[in-house]
Amino acid sequence: MVKIKGWQVLAIGNSLTPKDWNLKGAIFLSLDAQAELNYRILDHLPYDSFVRKSVGYLFAIQHGAKKIFDADDRGEVIDGDLGKHFDVELVGEDARQEPILQYSHENPNRTVVNPYIHFGQRSVWPRGLPLENVGEINHEEYYTEVFGGKQFIQQGISNGLPDVDSVYYSTRKTTFEPFDIRFDEHSPKVALPQGMMVPVNSFNTLYHSSAFWGLMLPVSVSSMASDVIRGYWGQRLLWELGGYVAVYPPTVHRYDRVEAYPFSDEKDLHINVGRLIKFLLAWRSNKHRFFETILDLSFVMAEQGFWTELDVKFTAAWLQDLLMVGYQQPRLMSLELDRPRATIGHGDRKEFVPRKLPSVHLGVEEIGTVSSEIGNLIKWRKNFGNVVLIMFCNGPVERTALEWRLLYGRIFKTVVILSSRKNSDLYVQEAKLDHIYK
């Protein structure tokens, strides 16, 4: 990372960072160095969490950053060039001003998409995608286009270990071999229209200055949910500025350390993310300044239980710190969310058919026959889509329940899993087999 020309690496320490941590070419902010900055957010940050990166964002903004690449410590930039796919410049001579493919807004009930399909991986899904949307594996019938220049948040795809959740990680691999999943680097970037969202993470994401306010990582949710909730929160607020999120081909290779993802750390994410998306789409504000709008949304999100009062106070401190370090809050733009959507004409439809790259499905390499069978799930669903499947698990449910629900949930309307022991986390109900048959 430190070898990338034109960029300054900033590393943020927490209580788990070794005291003598050092990297030539990087600026390191230890806990002691962070305390000397006197930011208001320091009063609200835990000492042992990656959310202390919020200190680093403020430090970078204070020292003149015009764009911030948000990354983690296991990623390696492909070819050492962030500009190969990202739009590092949005204005000026170096800006690429060509139109960008955009997901179609024709279906008003479609509120979230899995971008991995667009980049060649139909059976992989990102952390933060509602599990009820995992079964949507068809590629787009067509796209539309949007002018470039306002993709203020740019989400990159990661090869190797992409950003996947604990459900995917624990059900797609039966060996101790690390994941090495590849995406199509030649797939074009794709933008999200107003009214449609995509999971955004803190592992491979470029923020332009117009979206620096959206870097705040909430503190009252689990660490595995913090950046995803930030991403949905930021996307909704971005619409207030006329901006949007775009997803880019792989720019980073993340290495799989073959460590189990704790499902409990993501529990609040899986429970709330679908409800959060519906809430954000319906939310409206009558505030006249952007930072007031941000505070308004943060307060209502606490009322709705998506985070707590801690994050309302944290948001206020964050916005005060932004102003203190010299950040100019963007101007609100008139929204068109409640206006009838424009009709998509035949000439507006842009075709792109993604490649089908090898993947892993329930521990089986998805090539040849398996790949075609995954495609047949949609056909099977036409026959079983109104059928409820009831299954009884004799053995341990921790792995089996997830596999069954993910596999059969793509075909049947609902999958009910019963066992001799109840498991609330996995929605497994207690039952006796002989009684069920009766």
Side-chain angles (χ1 to χ4, degrees), residues 26-220:
I27 296 173
F28 174 55
L29 294 182
S30 65
L31 286 177
D32 291 338
Q34 294 170 42
E36 294 176 0
L37 296 172
N38 295 318
Y39 296 151
R40 290 176 175 86
I41 63 170
L42 288 166
D43 294 335
H44 307 276
L45 288 170
Y47 286 99
D48 60 349
S49 172
F50 91 106
V51 301
R52 295 196 71 86
K53 287 209 294 185
S54 293
V55 177
Y57 305 143
L58 287 174
F59 184 88
I61 296 166
Q62 185 174 12
H63 289 81
K66 301 301 180 186
K67 65 268 307 179
I68 293 176
F69 177 57
D70 205 8
D72 74 343
D73 60 356
R74 71 170 75 183
E76 181 177 305
V77 176
I78 298 172
D79 298 329
D81 184 5
L82 284 175
K84 181 178 180 180
H85 291 301
F86 281 133
D87 288 313
V88 176
E89 303 297 336
L90 295 182
V91 294
E93 295 181 358
D94 297 328
R96 295 193 288 252
Q97 296 293 346
E98 76 274 11
I100 302 173
L101 284 186
Q102 180 178 254
Y103 285 100
S104 164
H105 62 254
E106 185 174 59
N107 180 2
N109 296 319
R110 192 181 186 203
T111 57
V112 65
V113 295
N114 177 0
Y116 291 174
I117 299 171
H118 177 84
F119 294 95
Q121 291 289 357
R122 295 194 300 166
S123 63
V124 187
W125 68 88
R127 178 173 55 96
L129 186 75
L131 292 181
E132 58 265 31
N133 296 98
V134 166
E136 300 168 5
I137 59 175
N138 272 3
H139 66 76
E140 301 301 302
E141 182 182 351
Y142 64 89
Y143 298 79
T144 57
E145 282 184 335
V146 66
F147 287 111
K150 292 196 173 183
Q151 59 272 38
F152 300 141
I153 300 177
Q154 301 173 17
Q155 176 62 66
I157 299 291
S158 301
N159 280 337
L161 176 64
D163 186 24
V164 294
D165 59 25
S166 61
V167 179
Y168 182 90
Y169 198 88
S170 62
T171 62
R172 287 301 189 270
K173 182 167 58 173
T174 57
T175 69
F176 290 104
E177 290 293 320
F179 272 124
D180 189 13
I181 298 172
R182 301 302 173 107
F183 294 87
D184 185 5
E185 65 175 26
H186 301 294
S187 293
K189 59 194 174 193
V190 59
L192 280 298
Q194 287 187 356
M196 189 178 295
M197 293 186 167
V198 68
V200 172
N201 61 46
S202 61
F203 300 152
N204 181 19
T205 316
L206 184 68
Y207 281 76
H208 283 266
S209 59
S210 294
F212 279 173
W213 48 266
L215 282 162
M216 183 195 81
L217 287 163
V219 297
S220 66

Side-chain angles (χ1 to χ4, degrees), residues 194-299:
Q194 287 187 356
M196 189 178 295
M197 293 186 167
V198 68
V200 172
N201 61 46
S202 61
F203 300 152
N204 181 19
T205 316
L206 184 68
Y207 281 76
H208 283 266
S209 59
S210 294
F212 279 173
W213 48 266
L215 282 162
M216 183 195 81
L217 287 163
V219 297
S220 66
V221 298
S222 70
S223 60
M224 294 299 289
S226 181
D227 58 339
V228 172
I229 291 176
R230 173 186 79 171
Y232 284 124
W233 170 83
Q235 281 177 85
R236 176 59 188 86
L237 288 166
L238 204 56
W239 300 343
E240 305 282 333
L241 306 176
Y244 56 86
V245 171
V247 186
Y248 286 70
T251 50
V252 159
H253 189 286
R254 293 180 71 236
Y255 294 93
D256 183 6
R257 295 170 180 160
V258 198
E259 298 172 352
Y261 282 33
F263 180 79
S264 57
D265 286 358
E266 293 179 357
K267 186 177 177 182
D268 51 352
L269 184 62
H270 295 303
I271 291 173
N272 286 322
V273 69
R275 187 172 67 91
L276 174 62
I277 293 169
K278 292 177 182 177
F279 160 77
L280 290 172
L281 291 171
W283 173 81
R284 299 290 184 271
S285 176
N286 58 5
K287 303 298 182 183
H288 300 293
R289 293 174 65 84
F290 185 55
F291 278 10
E292 292 175 359
T293 303
I294 294 177
L295 277 173
D296 184 29
L297 177 55
S298 294
F299 179 78

